[in-house]
Amino acid sequence: MLGDLKPPEVIRSVRFRQSNSLELHNPFPITGKEISKQFREKVIFDKASFQFPLGAKIAVTGANGAGKTTLFKMILDREDGISLSPKAEIGYFAQNGYKFDRNQGVMEFMLENCDYQASEIRAVLASMGFSSNDVRKELSVLSGGEIIKLQLAKMLLGQYNILLMDEPSNFSIFLQWKH
Ligand SMILES: Nc1ncnc2c1ncn2[C@@H]1O[C@H](COP(=O)(O)OP(=O)(O)OP(=O)(O)O)[C@@H](O)[C@H]1O
Ligand SMILES: [Mg+2]
């Protein structure tokens, strides 16, 4: 059956605005110096060092269980050896998703801790393929892909200058990031 799948015909591009005050200047906003992590006898990192340069799009790859999610959590928790630019505001897309309040509506979820107007949110959701009917739904009835898109939209509307996305790619969507 997989052979019958066709690529999506329309690739939509979505623009998100970003405030200049969030601009980072540190040439390496995230660095790790000799970070170590071990769960019982399993060593995940042994004095590993890295530098993530400003403006870079970096893919962290590795086998299941290699330590990708662990690395993200170490960065978020600013664990020993991790240095972040003081101006860093990190938006995080969690691999295992959020626990959704069954009775929460799509707009209610999007408006929570968000500086955008409802009309702007509706426009963004529409450009990501949500119909006005979808926007009136409760989170509990959304499909897996819709929930992921909604989480992504919420993260992209947030006031962040670094995005850590843990495997958000289980569906087809094309997003273009422009200042
Ligand atoms: N809190 C924990 N306690 C014990 N072991 C843990 C803990 N968190 C992670 N691990 C183990 O550490 C290893 C790395 O896990 P991690 O989730 O970082 O892998 P990953 O690279 O993100 O894998 P995947 O590709 O499946 O998402 C795994 O073997 C996992 O079982
Ligand atoms: Mg993972």
Side-chain angles (χ1 to χ4, degrees):
M1 285 308 280
L2 276 175
D4 294 338
L5 288 178
K6 291 195 180 74
E9 282 162 25
V10 180
I11 292 179
R12 299 166 190 270
S13 95
V14 184
R15 279 174 176 235
F16 297 91
R17 59 168 187 256
Q18 198 191 31
S19 135
N20 288 340
S21 66
L22 278 172
E23 211 173 311
L24 291 169
H25 298 287
N26 187 327
F28 297 100
I30 307 179
T31 63
K33 190 157 182 267
E34 300 195 349
I35 63 166
S36 296
K37 180 64 103 186
Q38 188 163 353
F39 294 114
R40 294 180 184 248
E41 70 284 357
K42 179 161 179 172
V43 176
I44 310 284
F45 299 111
D46 180 18
K47 295 190 178 163
S49 298
F50 62 88
Q51 294 183 312
F52 288 169
L54 182 64
K57 295 186 182 76
I58 296 165
V60 178
T61 62
N64 296 137
K68 305 177 294 292
T69 298
T70 301
L71 174 65
F72 281 9
K73 288 185 174 159
M74 291 175 77
I75 292 171
L76 289 170
D77 294 341
R78 289 146 166 84
E79 289 196 11
D80 285 349
I82 302 285
S83 299
L84 288 179
S85 159
K87 283 180 77 180
E89 295 290 341
I90 300 181
Y92 178 53
F93 181 95
Q95 180 174 15
N96 295 322
Y98 296 99
K99 298 271 179 284
F100 286 108
D101 178 345
R102 292 184 64 81
N103 299 316
Q104 197 176 28
V106 166
M107 274 312 277
E108 206 185 324
F109 168 72
M110 289 300 293
L111 283 166
E112 228 174 44
N113 310 317
C114 179
D115 294 337
Y116 284 76
Q117 310 281 324
S119 57
E120 293 177 298
I121 293 174
R122 265 189 217 100
V124 167
L125 292 182
S127 67
M128 293 175 86
F130 286 91
S131 67
S132 51
N133 182 37
D134 292 333
V135 174
R136 286 193 293 269
K137 288 175 179 170
E138 299 267 295
L139 297 182
S140 57
V141 306
L142 294 184
S143 72
E146 287 169 338
I147 284 280
I148 287 172
K149 274 204 293 191
L150 205 64
Q151 274 177 258
L152 265 184
K154 181 142 183 176
M155 186 190 65
L156 295 172
L157 289 174
Q159 299 298 305
Y160 306 116
N161 47 27
I162 293 173
L163 300 178
L164 288 185
M165 298 194 264
D166 202 352
E167 309 206 21
S169 52
N170 273 344
F171 62 101
S172 285
I173 182 170
F174 177 86
L175 293 170
Q176 201 171 24
W177 183 281
K178 288 211 174 107
H179 293 277

mmCIF file of all heavy atoms in Angstrom, residues 39 42 44 62-71 95 166-167, ligand 1:
data_model
loop_
_atom_site.group_PDB
_atom_site.id
_atom_site.type_symbol
_atom_site.label_atom_id
_atom_site.label_comp_id
_atom_site.label_asym_id
_atom_site.label_seq_id
_atom_site.Cartn_x
_atom_site.Cartn_y
_atom_site.Cartn_z
ATOM 1 N N PHE A 39 23.085 5.910 33.320
ATOM 2 C CA PHE A 39 21.928 5.338 34.013
ATOM 3 C C PHE A 39 22.331 3.928 34.434
ATOM 4 O O PHE A 39 22.516 3.061 33.594
ATOM 5 C CB PHE A 39 20.710 5.274 33.097
ATOM 6 C CG PHE A 39 20.188 6.646 32.703
ATOM 7 C CD1 PHE A 39 20.254 7.085 31.395
ATOM 8 C CD2 PHE A 39 19.627 7.484 33.662
ATOM 9 C CE1 PHE A 39 19.764 8.333 31.036
ATOM 10 C CE2 PHE A 39 19.137 8.737 33.318
ATOM 11 C CZ PHE A 39 19.214 9.160 31.998
ATOM 12 N N LYS A 42 24.710 1.730 32.311
ATOM 13 C CA LYS A 42 24.730 2.209 30.928
ATOM 14 C C LYS A 42 25.263 3.642 30.828
ATOM 15 O O LYS A 42 24.636 4.589 31.303
ATOM 16 C CB LYS A 42 23.323 2.131 30.323
ATOM 17 C CG LYS A 42 23.310 2.634 28.891
ATOM 18 C CD LYS A 42 22.111 2.185 28.089
ATOM 19 C CE LYS A 42 22.190 2.761 26.683
ATOM 20 N NZ LYS A 42 21.187 2.239 25.790
ATOM 21 N N ILE A 44 25.842 6.901 28.895
ATOM 22 C CA ILE A 44 25.270 7.605 27.739
ATOM 23 C C ILE A 44 26.305 8.609 27.202
ATOM 24 O O ILE A 44 26.574 8.655 26.014
ATOM 25 C CB ILE A 44 23.976 8.347 28.124
ATOM 26 C CG1 ILE A 44 23.008 7.420 28.865
ATOM 27 C CG2 ILE A 44 23.315 8.962 26.892
ATOM 28 C CD1 ILE A 44 22.280 6.434 28.015
ATOM 29 N N GLY A 62 21.107 9.386 15.959
ATOM 30 C CA GLY A 62 21.665 8.262 16.699
ATOM 31 C C GLY A 62 20.594 7.198 16.850
ATOM 32 O O GLY A 62 19.403 7.469 16.683
ATOM 33 N N ALA A 63 21.012 5.986 17.153
ATOM 34 C CA ALA A 63 20.080 4.868 17.282
ATOM 35 C C ALA A 63 19.110 5.108 18.439
ATOM 36 O O ALA A 63 19.360 5.945 19.305
ATOM 37 C CB ALA A 63 20.875 3.585 17.525
ATOM 38 N N ASN A 64 18.025 4.365 18.452
ATOM 39 C CA ASN A 64 17.094 4.429 19.577
ATOM 40 C C ASN A 64 17.862 4.102 20.850
ATOM 41 O O ASN A 64 18.605 3.126 20.906
ATOM 42 C CB ASN A 64 15.955 3.398 19.416
ATOM 43 C CG ASN A 64 15.089 3.683 18.197
ATOM 44 O OD1 ASN A 64 14.736 2.768 17.471
ATOM 45 N ND2 ASN A 64 14.778 4.936 17.974
ATOM 46 N N GLY A 65 17.698 4.944 21.841
ATOM 47 C CA GLY A 65 18.372 4.713 23.115
ATOM 48 C C GLY A 65 19.779 5.276 23.173
ATOM 49 O O GLY A 65 20.472 5.120 24.180
ATOM 50 N N ALA A 66 20.227 5.941 22.095
ATOM 51 C CA ALA A 66 21.600 6.471 22.069
ATOM 52 C C ALA A 66 21.777 7.628 23.052
ATOM 53 O O ALA A 66 22.877 7.850 23.568
ATOM 54 C CB ALA A 66 21.967 6.928 20.661
ATOM 55 N N GLY A 67 20.715 8.406 23.280
ATOM 56 C CA GLY A 67 20.831 9.505 24.242
ATOM 57 C C GLY A 67 20.421 10.870 23.716
ATOM 58 O O GLY A 67 20.731 11.890 24.317
ATOM 59 N N LYS A 68 19.675 10.906 22.612
ATOM 60 C CA LYS A 68 19.264 12.192 22.023
ATOM 61 C C LYS A 68 18.329 12.959 22.962
ATOM 62 O O LYS A 68 18.555 14.126 23.280
ATOM 63 C CB LYS A 68 18.590 11.953 20.657
ATOM 64 C CG LYS A 68 19.467 11.170 19.696
ATOM 65 C CD LYS A 68 18.771 10.875 18.381
ATOM 66 C CE LYS A 68 17.574 9.931 18.508
ATOM 67 N NZ LYS A 68 17.951 8.550 18.886
ATOM 68 N N THR A 69 17.272 12.287 23.406
ATOM 69 C CA THR A 69 16.319 12.938 24.318
ATOM 70 C C THR A 69 17.021 13.302 25.630
ATOM 71 O O THR A 69 16.786 14.367 26.202
ATOM 72 C CB THR A 69 15.117 12.001 24.584
ATOM 73 O OG1 THR A 69 14.456 11.759 23.339
ATOM 74 C CG2 THR A 69 14.134 12.609 25.570
ATOM 75 N N THR A 70 17.908 12.432 26.083
ATOM 76 C CA THR A 70 18.667 12.702 27.317
ATOM 77 C C THR A 70 19.492 13.975 27.168
ATOM 78 O O THR A 70 19.526 14.807 28.078
ATOM 79 C CB THR A 70 19.596 11.503 27.633
ATOM 80 O OG1 THR A 70 18.789 10.338 27.771
ATOM 81 C CG2 THR A 70 20.407 11.733 28.894
ATOM 82 N N LEU A 71 20.122 14.153 26.007
ATOM 83 C CA LEU A 71 20.922 15.359 25.767
ATOM 84 C C LEU A 71 20.038 16.608 25.838
ATOM 85 O O LEU A 71 20.397 17.606 26.468
ATOM 86 C CB LEU A 71 21.611 15.277 24.395
ATOM 87 C CG LEU A 71 22.361 16.542 23.973
ATOM 88 C CD1 LEU A 71 23.537 16.803 24.917
ATOM 89 C CD2 LEU A 71 22.865 16.433 22.541
ATOM 90 N N GLN A 95 9.301 14.781 22.719
ATOM 91 C CA GLN A 95 9.068 13.587 21.898
ATOM 92 C C GLN A 95 7.780 12.872 22.311
ATOM 93 O O GLN A 95 7.046 12.380 21.467
ATOM 94 C CB GLN A 95 10.269 12.634 22.030
ATOM 95 C CG GLN A 95 10.120 11.354 21.212
ATOM 96 C CD GLN A 95 11.376 10.499 21.237
ATOM 97 O OE1 GLN A 95 12.250 10.695 22.064
ATOM 98 N NE2 GLN A 95 11.457 9.561 20.334
ATOM 99 N N ASP A 166 12.309 17.440 19.487
ATOM 100 C CA ASP A 166 12.634 16.020 19.626
ATOM 101 C C ASP A 166 11.677 15.198 18.762
ATOM 102 O O ASP A 166 10.549 14.915 19.165
ATOM 103 C CB ASP A 166 12.530 15.624 21.108
ATOM 104 C CG ASP A 166 13.335 14.366 21.411
ATOM 105 O OD1 ASP A 166 13.827 13.732 20.457
ATOM 106 O OD2 ASP A 166 13.459 14.028 22.599
ATOM 107 N N GLU A 167 12.128 14.855 17.578
ATOM 108 C CA GLU A 167 11.381 14.022 16.635
ATOM 109 C C GLU A 167 9.956 14.491 16.379
ATOM 110 O O GLU A 167 8.999 13.774 16.618
ATOM 111 C CB GLU A 167 11.396 12.560 17.118
ATOM 112 C CG GLU A 167 12.814 12.115 17.420
ATOM 113 C CD GLU A 167 13.026 10.616 17.302
ATOM 114 O OE1 GLU A 167 12.238 9.957 16.624
ATOM 115 O OE2 GLU A 167 14.009 10.129 17.889
HETATM 116 N N1 LIG B 1 15.532 8.309 33.803
HETATM 117 C C1 LIG B 1 16.104 7.240 33.252
HETATM 118 N N2 LIG B 1 16.443 6.168 34.008
HETATM 119 C C2 LIG B 1 17.053 5.103 33.460
HETATM 120 N N3 LIG B 1 17.377 5.019 32.163
HETATM 121 C C3 LIG B 1 17.066 6.039 31.377
HETATM 122 C C4 LIG B 1 16.431 7.221 31.873
HETATM 123 N N4 LIG B 1 16.252 8.085 30.867
HETATM 124 C C5 LIG B 1 16.766 7.485 29.774
HETATM 125 N N5 LIG B 1 17.245 6.262 30.074
HETATM 126 C C6 LIG B 1 17.922 5.342 29.147
HETATM 127 O O1 LIG B 1 18.953 6.062 28.503
HETATM 128 C C7 LIG B 1 19.061 5.656 27.144
HETATM 129 C C8 LIG B 1 18.942 6.884 26.269
HETATM 130 O O2 LIG B 1 17.596 7.301 26.225
HETATM 131 P P1 LIG B 1 17.081 8.465 25.294
HETATM 132 O O3 LIG B 1 15.626 8.615 25.541
HETATM 133 O O4 LIG B 1 17.952 9.651 25.504
HETATM 134 O O5 LIG B 1 17.368 7.876 23.853
HETATM 135 P P2 LIG B 1 17.062 8.497 22.418
HETATM 136 O O6 LIG B 1 18.358 8.591 21.699
HETATM 137 O O7 LIG B 1 16.269 9.719 22.570
HETATM 138 O O8 LIG B 1 16.196 7.314 21.774
HETATM 139 P P3 LIG B 1 14.943 7.379 20.737
HETATM 140 O O9 LIG B 1 15.540 7.415 19.362
HETATM 141 O O10 LIG B 1 14.257 6.086 20.977
HETATM 142 O O11 LIG B 1 14.111 8.551 21.078
HETATM 143 C C9 LIG B 1 17.984 4.604 26.932
HETATM 144 O O12 LIG B 1 18.598 3.339 27.044
HETATM 145 C C10 LIG B 1 17.013 4.846 28.059
HETATM 146 O O13 LIG B 1 16.363 3.663 28.446
#
